[in-house]
Amino acid sequence: MAQVCSEVRTALPSTEAEFVLRFSDRIDRSLASLLEQARVLMYGETVGAQLSQTSQVILDFAWERLNTGTWRDVDKEWRQVYSYGCLFKAVCLCRGEPSQDALQEAIKTCDMGLLMGAAIMDNVLQRLVDILQKMVKKRVLENEGPCEVHSAKKVRTECVCVPEISPTRAVPRVRCPALECFRTNYLIPQKPVILEGVIDHWPAFREHQWSVGYLRTVAGCRTVPVEVGSRYTDEEWSQTLLTISEFIDRYILRQEEGAGVGYLAQHQLFDQVPELMQDIRIPDYCCLGEEDEDDITINAWFGPAGTVSPLHQDPQQNFLAQVVGRKYIRLYSQEETERVYPHQSRLLHNTSQVEVENPDLQRFPAFADAPYQECVLGPGEVLFIPVKHWHYVRALDLSFSVSFWWS
């Protein structure tokens, strides 16, 4: 690895013998031979075009397998093969004195492995991307200075409809309830509640307040899945992969005319970017669950005003913590399932057919009689959504929320 920059080498085993490749018969022998060849090339005196070509063949072969059939049926070993291909390609991009563009491409390659592959070698891709990110940030600081790194264009504000909350339907609020109080009054009876004052200590509010500029600085070069379209039940809805900076430019700052609505939704961003995880804390009330802290699923929800999550239900308890902006949320008890008209398909069985704020009461007449609760959730507030409670969410502002799913 004579030509690979020294910072990258620290993430890899020091010798070829320590770089172990083990696969079962499910992986074609010809592909296993390509992986072994790539390993030899990576530890050779020159890391160049041949490794680049070999890694791309591995990626193309694995990508075809990842996209055959349903995702849950993809064998983990094929996902690991894809991760190895991403590792070889990323290392190749870092040979010699890599340009800033090459480092960005290497980070993107690692992210593809983290998103589509499976963990290999004690999560080597995450360790490598951490090193590469630091290298990118260091160069930006040296070339442009700290002021330029944190700068951000003004976000366009949009006029959105803010519902007037009926006092009789308002979700109750309580400030910093004791664990036993929360358990007795809300968790056991499965009643929604807004918790106030329980996340005020988060670094995201105090040490470095989250903003478009901050998110771009910390995670701008990271590749993430983005939902494109008004809501996931629409026919024209799709998904694409963008860096967070591209997402901000296209859908937050609206630098591209006609880009439509984009939403970074239900993504485990905090596993991908540990630096952001340091800005939040798991709510203490999650300790009342039956699982370990490592089993809690933490998702990011980042998007412009107007993003919508259709009325749906989730299979776990949920704390929805609002960090930036406001969201209008409406909740229906699972006892109202028949009156919210779930889709009949297996794929969307947990999602209502009704447009909550513009219901077609000729098609869904019973929906008008379904009792509900509602709220506007603001920064620093946490909404407890009981398991299988139907909930509809619309962003009123540029918004960043964090959800904690626990059992």
Side-chain angles (χ1 to χ4, degrees):
M1 285 193 294
Q3 287 191 336
V4 178
C5 59
S6 58
E7 292 94 336
V8 170
R9 284 202 297 266
T10 62
L12 303 170
S14 56
T15 65
E16 182 182 336
E18 296 174 82
F19 192 111
V20 180
L21 291 168
R22 287 198 186 94
F23 293 101
S24 70
D25 295 340
R26 287 189 289 269
I27 304 304
D28 299 351
R29 182 58 208 159
S30 58
L31 184 59
S33 296
L34 274 177
L35 288 161
E36 291 166 359
Q37 179 184 342
R39 177 181 59 185
V40 170
L41 290 169
M42 189 174 71
Y43 281 91
E45 286 301 311
T46 58
V47 178
Q50 192 174 354
L51 177 59
S52 178
Q53 293 169 2
T54 304
S55 63
Q56 193 58 54
V57 172
I58 293 168
L59 287 171
D60 291 344
F61 206 122
W63 184 257
E64 185 177 340
R65 289 301 185 106
L66 295 187
N67 289 278
T68 301
T70 59
W71 178 251
R72 64 175 173 269
D73 294 328
V74 176
D75 192 280
K76 183 180 178 181
E77 282 195 297
W78 279 106
R79 293 175 60 201
Q80 289 176 326
V81 167
Y82 186 78
S83 293
Y84 278 111
C86 289
L87 175 61
F88 292 135
K89 181 178 178 179
V91 170
C92 191
L93 286 164
C94 296
R95 63 184 182 271
E97 291 296 326
S99 67
Q100 194 79 333
D101 287 344
L103 291 177
Q104 298 276 13
E105 183 64 24
I107 290 171
K108 181 178 180 179
T109 301
C110 289
D111 274 332
M112 289 299 296
L114 291 169
L115 292 169
M116 304 298 294
I120 56 171
M121 300 170 60
D122 196 25
N123 211 7
V124 65
L125 290 176
Q126 184 63 63
R127 286 185 279 118
L128 180 55
V129 84
D130 289 345
I131 291 169
L132 296 174
Q133 249 193 304
K134 289 175 183 175
M135 292 170 66
V136 167
K137 288 179 185 177
K138 182 180 178 182
R139 289 188 183 183
V140 171
L141 286 168
E142 289 173 349
N143 294 333
E144 300 178 2
C147 293
E148 292 294 327
V149 176
H150 290 278
S151 67
K153 294 182 180 179
K154 188 175 181 180
V155 177
R156 293 186 190 178
T157 57
E158 298 181 31
C159 182
V160 296
C161 175
V162 180
E164 186 174 340
I165 305 300
S166 166
T168 59
R169 293 180 175 138
V171 177
R173 296 170 175 268
V174 61
R175 186 167 185 83
C176 299
L179 287 174
E180 189 56 35
C181 172
F182 172 77
R183 180 177 179 275
T184 301
N185 296 323
Y186 303 104
L187 180 59
I188 292 176
Q190 292 287 276
K191 292 182 178 180
V193 63
I194 294 173
L195 306 176
E196 299 178 336
V198 300
I199 61 172
D200 291 349
H201 62 290
W202 280 11
F205 294 108
R206 292 179 172 273
E207 294 176 24
H208 19 70
Q209 192 170 8
W210 280 7
S211 65
V212 168
Y214 176 72
L215 293 170
R216 192 196 291 272
T217 299
V218 172
C221 58
R222 305 305 298 275
T223 298
V224 293
V226 173
E227 297 183 0
V228 180
S230 298
R231 57 197 76 199
Y232 64 77
T233 50
D234 292 349
E235 286 187 9
E236 65 271 19
W237 179 90
S238 63
Q239 288 183 300
T240 189
L241 292 170
L242 298 172
T243 66
I244 287 181
S245 283
E246 290 170 338
F247 169 73
I248 289 171
D249 290 338
R250 189 176 302 178
Y251 296 109
I252 304 297
L253 301 180
R254 302 292 177 89
Q255 292 182 358
E256 295 183 17
E257 294 298 326
V261 177
Y263 196 12
L264 199 173
Q266 195 177 322
H267 176 51
Q268 294 180 29
L269 182 65
F270 304 97
D271 290 340
Q272 189 180 358
V273 187
E275 194 170 347
L276 284 178
M277 185 65 196
Q278 295 171 12
D279 289 344
I280 66 174
R281 301 289 183 267
I282 294 174
D284 292 341
Y285 305 97
C286 291
C287 73
L288 298 171
E290 299 173 352
E291 298 178 334
D292 295 332
E293 191 172 284
D294 291 342
D295 297 318
I296 297 169
T297 301
I298 306 175
N299 283 317
W301 308 77
F302 177 36
T307 55
V308 169
S309 293
L311 186 63
H312 68 285
Q313 60 179 191
D314 297 316
Q316 291 183 292
Q317 317 280 8
N318 183 6
F319 284 122
L320 182 64
Q322 193 66 17
V323 184
V324 176
R326 300 167 299 159
K327 281 183 169 174
Y328 170 67
I329 302 170
R330 194 184 289 189
L331 302 116
Y332 294 80
S333 166
Q334 62 174 312
E335 295 173 1
E336 305 303 323
T337 295
E338 287 189 12
R339 289 197 268 194
V340 303
Y341 298 91
H343 282 272
Q344 297 304 304
S345 68
R346 190 176 75 167
L347 184 63
L348 291 174
H349 72 279
N350 70 329
T351 302
S352 168
Q353 301 177 64
V354 183
E355 275 195 48
V356 167
E357 295 186 85
N358 186 29
D360 183 342
L361 296 180
Q362 287 189 324
R363 290 182 62 199
F364 312 114
F367 182 73
D369 300 321
Y372 62 86
Q373 293 176 284
E374 61 182 352
C375 68
V376 171
L377 194 69
E381 298 176 343
V382 179
L383 173 63
F384 170 58
I385 305 174
V387 59
K388 292 191 175 180
H389 241 67
W390 294 89
H391 50 289
Y392 163 86
V393 185
R394 175 167 62 88
L396 303 177
D397 313 300
L398 167 69
S399 172
F400 200 119
S401 313
V402 184
S403 63
F404 301 85
W405 289 350
W406 55 290
S407 296

